[in-house]
Amino acid sequence: MKKNGLLVLFAFFALGSYANDIITEVKGQVMDSVAQETIPYATVTIVRAENPAEVIKGLVTDDDGNFKVSIDKAGDYLLTVSFIGKKTVSLPFKAGEETTVDLQQIALSDDTNVLGEVTVVGQKPLVKVDIDKITYSMEDDPESKTNSTLEMLKKVPMVTVDGDENVQLKGSSNFKFYMNGKPSTLISSNPKDVLKSIPANTIKRIEVITDPGAKYDAEGVAGIINIVTQSALGGYTVSLNAGGNTLGGLNGGTYFTVKYGKVGFTGMYNLFTYNSPAGENRSIRTNFLDDNMKYMHQDGTMKYDGRGQFGYGELSYEIDTFNLVTLSFNRYAGSFDLDMKTTTELQNAAEQTVFKYREERYNPIGQANTTIDANYQRIFPVPDRLLTISYRLNLTPNDNSSENEVTNIENFVNRNNKQFTNADDKEHTFQLDFTTPFNKIHSLETGVKYILRDSRSESGHSMLGDDGNWLNMPSDWDDFKNRQDILAAYIGYSLKYKKWGVKTGLRYEATFLEASYKLNNSMNFKKDYQNMVPSVAVSYQIKPLQTLRLSYNMHISRPGISYLNPYVNSSDTSYINYGNPNLNAVQNNSISLNYNFFNPKFNMNADLSYNFANNEIDNYTWIDNAISYTTYDNISQSKKLNLSLYLNWTLNPKLRIYSNLGGRYVDLRSNKRYLELSNSSTSVTNHGFEGNAFYGIQYTAPWKLITNINGGNYSPNIGLQRKGTGFFYYVLSIGKNLLNDKLNLRAYIVNAFHDKMTFENNQWTPDYSYDSWNTQSRRNIGFSVSYRFGEMKQQIKKTQRKIENNDKMSIDQGGGGDGGASM
């Protein structure tokens, strides 16, 4: 009886409460004020008038622009409608007096400050498309809370990460890494280790800039990957992270932001180390010109381990509403050890041994980079009018040494040797940028820039004499200096009119190069060249969530010290390589057609591009007395037709299917320079198809376990005289967020059923062929954990324009060349 009485009493109060609050249905239709068309998937939010910071209802319009929502509490409310490229509209209304509030047609007019941008609205968007870039929202992907930045890059349109964790953009390693709109030598120094050590939950978004305009340096063939970290807010927040895996990798670090008054600071610091299992190497070289030195076999093991640290910081001071000063720094330092044990045997055509020896090599490598940036930004009363003055200092020392112990097995003269090279890049950059809108739909930008780049290398080589003493073997190349003075100016124009967007510009660059050899001045030389670099992009909004974009860009690639350094690396007695200080800059042209379709459940981006260059840098090899010599030159012409396809299908709030696909036809041919070097009248050609596929399923299981299954397949890559290996991988990961998403846990296993994999590479010329096989441990079990604490209230301002040097290329070390960003 007491229970029944309580139920009656509860029902009485519930009915009384219901009678006091009339449920109000609010409805309307969103329209384009100019085209008089409905706008699907516009964002509708409702807040209480007395508490506008708290959103109580949020939804998107349907395919016809209609919306309908119920409010069960009486009071004054504010309804806001927004859509990308349109001005936001807010309307007040009262609930609780009528059962229906019909706002009828709500017209949105064009926002002239937005140029050709399309985004997914409603369910948190992952991809946004501008006229010159594609943006992947890391903070809106649930998996970013537990993954590394390297893992998340696999999901970004047109970006691929292969089995060796090398990053490519549109199938090319010749691109630039930025961080927060600035060139990131921090990442470029060691992309694999740095990107694996940065937790994805500290990243706000990743921008893929495939069509850099005139404001960007003419360097960067495939484009730019700009990693934007989370904004600093008032108060403070700290994130701690750590991880490890069964392949000997450990990492830990912190990311923190703090703001007090007009001063703000954002920073991160990470440590990493790894001690990978030894791999097995096998190769055979076939000499077509000399039957007495027909076959060279090599078998051995290779072990690679390393350790390092890196950090980033930016200090910001708001002088007043219109003036802002920022000071930032990057620091990276790493040391790596390569231990190789190899048995080499040379045979004649009858497979009889000519000589045989065993070689043990110890190869320590030191890499470092320090960058300091100072920026002053002046904002004007006119919206979007901006003046920026910037300075950058960039220091990049790279040290490499080796010591070889050679043991004779049969008919071989001992050649114990040791060598070193200390290379250093020092760079000063001064820059001024100005941008201003006019007549609402137009925008103009212009700027000037000066770079002083000083590259040096000091090298040495010693051989063990018969008396047991080391003999110095001096060379004209031992003390080398390369100075570049680069002057640049640009002008760019943008237009947004109704459904059309246009962005075009012209950039002028002049380069003055001087190379000198301290030990032989007769080898000194100078070289000057100038470039006019045009760019244009046109976009058309087919429908509110469909955009078509056509663009053309020209880029140039100046070789960095890693290509230019004449240091002779003979750490492998039978395979010697060195750089070429006479290399020319590469000029590349790109035409791209991009189509975008997005709605709250299905997202697609397709990009078709054609790239061509007539003087690409490639390596070439010849044999002299059983020794292979390799260097670089502008020896090839390339044509590439590339198709990239990104798909993301959200079946329901818990289940998502995604893929990142790419395919290209590659046509490579030797040019006149190759014929001169090879003393041959026969051109070398190579062509074929390359492809890559990354795909996965993400499911939020019971107890909010974020489960992800993904994998990748990659076809062999094609070079002028070589062909790489195809490979595959697959990953199962489970993540869990605790303590209101402050504690993030993740466990994963890679290649659960494949402990080791063998990678094959093939190279061929008219004189010889070379085939190699490398076996590595690929099964990997790992974990990661991160914890965040603190409270943020107000955003820190950052300068919108900063120095971005992307005019230099370096030998690929696992993801792009030397860092660069926009000017």
Side-chain angles (χ1 to χ4, degrees), residues 691-743:
N692 56 268
F694 173 72
Y695 40 82
I697 298 176
Q698 181 178 297
Y699 177 67
T700 303
W703 304 292
K704 295 184 178 180
L705 292 175
I706 302 173
T707 306
N708 197 76
I709 302 174
N710 64 61
N713 291 79
Y714 297 81
S715 68
N717 61 306
I718 296 172
L720 179 63
Q721 296 178 308
R722 61 188 182 276
K723 183 178 181 181
T725 186
F727 63 92
F728 66 91
Y729 68 92
Y730 48 94
V731 183
L732 169 64
S733 68
I734 298 177
K736 175 65 176 176
N737 303 322
L738 302 169
L739 306 179
N740 294 322
D741 289 344
K742 291 183 177 181
L743 178 62

Side-chain angles (χ1 to χ4, degrees), residues 542-600:
I542 303 171
K543 290 184 178 181
L545 294 175
Q546 295 184 58
T547 300
L548 196 65
R549 183 184 67 200
L550 179 66
S551 64
Y552 165 78
N553 273 275
M554 178 190 291
H555 309 280
I556 60 173
S557 300
R558 300 182 185 91
I561 188 64
S562 52
Y563 279 99
L564 298 169
N565 190 354
Y567 158 68
V568 178
N569 184 353
S570 58
S571 56
D572 187 327
T573 304
S574 297
Y575 293 88
I576 295 174
N577 60 81
Y578 55 90
N580 180 2
N582 298 301
L583 292 173
N584 293 315
V586 178
Q587 182 174 300
N588 187 283
N589 298 271
S590 176
I591 302 171
S592 176
L593 179 65
N594 189 280
Y595 170 74
N596 313 287
F597 173 80
F598 302 111
N599 68 33

Side-chain angles (χ1 to χ4, degrees), residues 218-499:
E219 174 68 20
V221 173
I224 297 162
I225 297 177
N226 182 30
I227 298 175
V228 181
T229 58
Q230 292 285 354
S231 299
L233 303 174
Y236 77 97
T237 184
V238 178
S239 177
L240 305 175
N241 64 85
N245 60 62
T246 55
L247 291 182
L250 292 172
N251 66 274
T254 180
Y255 176 86
F256 51 93
T257 63
V258 60
K259 187 173 190 295
Y260 180 77
K262 295 183 177 182
V263 179
F265 183 80
T266 301
M268 70 174 176
Y269 178 75
N270 281 268
L271 296 167
F272 67 88
T273 182
Y274 55 86
N275 187 9
S276 59
E280 299 175 359
N281 299 302
R282 181 169 61 90
S283 69
I284 179 172
R285 188 190 71 199
T286 304
N287 188 339
F288 302 139
L289 302 179
D290 192 342
D291 285 346
N292 293 322
M293 300 180 178
K294 186 71 173 180
Y295 305 110
M296 177 171 281
H297 297 268
Q298 282 194 333
D299 294 274
T301 61
M302 178 178 67
K303 183 174 176 54
Y304 192 68
D305 57 68
R307 65 220 57 86
Q309 57 184 316
F310 60 90
Y312 163 82
E314 183 172 63
L315 180 68
S316 143
Y317 176 62
E318 301 171 30
I319 301 173
D320 53 37
T321 306
F322 298 106
N323 295 277
L324 175 67
V325 176
T326 63
L327 180 67
S328 64
F329 66 89
N330 290 286
R331 173 63 180 169
Y332 169 84
S335 59
F336 310 92
D337 299 316
L338 175 64
D339 288 290
M340 295 189 68
K341 298 178 180 179
T342 306
T343 299
T344 302
E345 181 180 10
L346 181 66
Q347 297 176 335
N348 59 25
E351 299 187 0
Q352 297 170 328
T353 299
V354 177
F355 64 70
K356 187 176 182 180
Y357 66 91
R358 179 174 175 81
E359 185 172 31
E360 296 187 17
R361 186 200 338 170
Y362 172 61
N363 185 191
I365 302 170
Q367 295 179 337
N369 172 260
T370 302
T371 303
I372 299 174
D373 284 278
N375 302 281
Y376 165 73
Q377 177 177 284
R378 166 68 178 175
I379 301 173
F380 297 87
V382 177
D384 296 320
R385 179 172 293 172
L386 189 68
L387 173 69
T388 306
I389 302 173
S390 305
Y391 166 75
R392 156 171 287 202
L393 172 65
N394 186 61
L395 306 172
T396 309
N398 284 285
D399 302 330
N400 192 334
S401 64
S402 68
E403 185 167 341
N404 294 20
E405 182 178 337
V406 182
T407 303
N408 174 41
I409 298 177
E410 186 175 347
N411 301 330
F412 191 78
V413 178
N414 289 359
R415 296 181 184 175
N416 288 6
N417 65 85
K418 59 183 179 181
Q419 57 192 313
F420 75 92
T421 181
N422 297 325
D424 177 71
D425 269 351
K426 182 183 295 183
E427 186 175 275
H428 299 272
T429 305
F430 305 87
Q431 181 174 315
L432 184 146
D433 297 283
F434 178 72
T435 181
T436 182
F438 61 96
N439 293 341
K440 294 184 178 181
I441 63 173
H442 307 277
S443 179
L444 186 70
E445 57 185 4
T446 185
V448 293
K449 185 176 192 176
Y450 169 64
I451 304 173
L452 170 58
R453 181 174 296 142
D454 191 1
S455 302
R456 303 186 181 196
S457 68
E458 295 181 356
S459 307
H461 183 210
S462 301
M463 299 288 292
L464 185 64
D466 295 335
D467 58 359
N469 295 318
W470 288 99
L471 302 176
N472 184 35
M473 311 292 290
S475 167
D476 292 339
W477 315 92
D478 285 351
D479 197 327
F480 169 69
K481 178 181 178 181
N482 179 284
R483 170 171 171 156
Q484 294 183 13
D485 292 86
I486 303 169
L487 301 174
Y490 74 90
I491 185 169
Y493 166 75
S494 300
L495 165 71
K496 172 64 170 64
Y497 180 70
K498 295 184 178 179
K499 296 185 177 183

Side-chain angles (χ1 to χ4, degrees), residues 93-111:
F93 69 91
K94 285 184 176 292
E97 296 180 353
E98 303 289 340
T99 57
T100 301
V101 174
D102 189 354
L103 299 176
Q104 300 181 353
Q105 290 186 345
I106 302 173
L108 302 185
S109 60
D110 289 341
D111 185 349

Side-chain angles (χ1 to χ4, degrees), residues 129-155:
V129 180
D130 299 324
I131 194 171
D132 60 349
K133 66 185 177 184
I134 294 174
T135 302
Y136 190 90
S137 177
M138 297 278 276
E139 62 182 352
D140 293 323
D141 189 329
E143 201 176 355
S144 69
K145 290 181 171 57
T146 55
N147 270 1
S148 71
T149 300
L150 186 67
E151 282 294 317
M152 295 302 296
L153 271 174
K154 298 174 182 178
K155 295 185 174 184

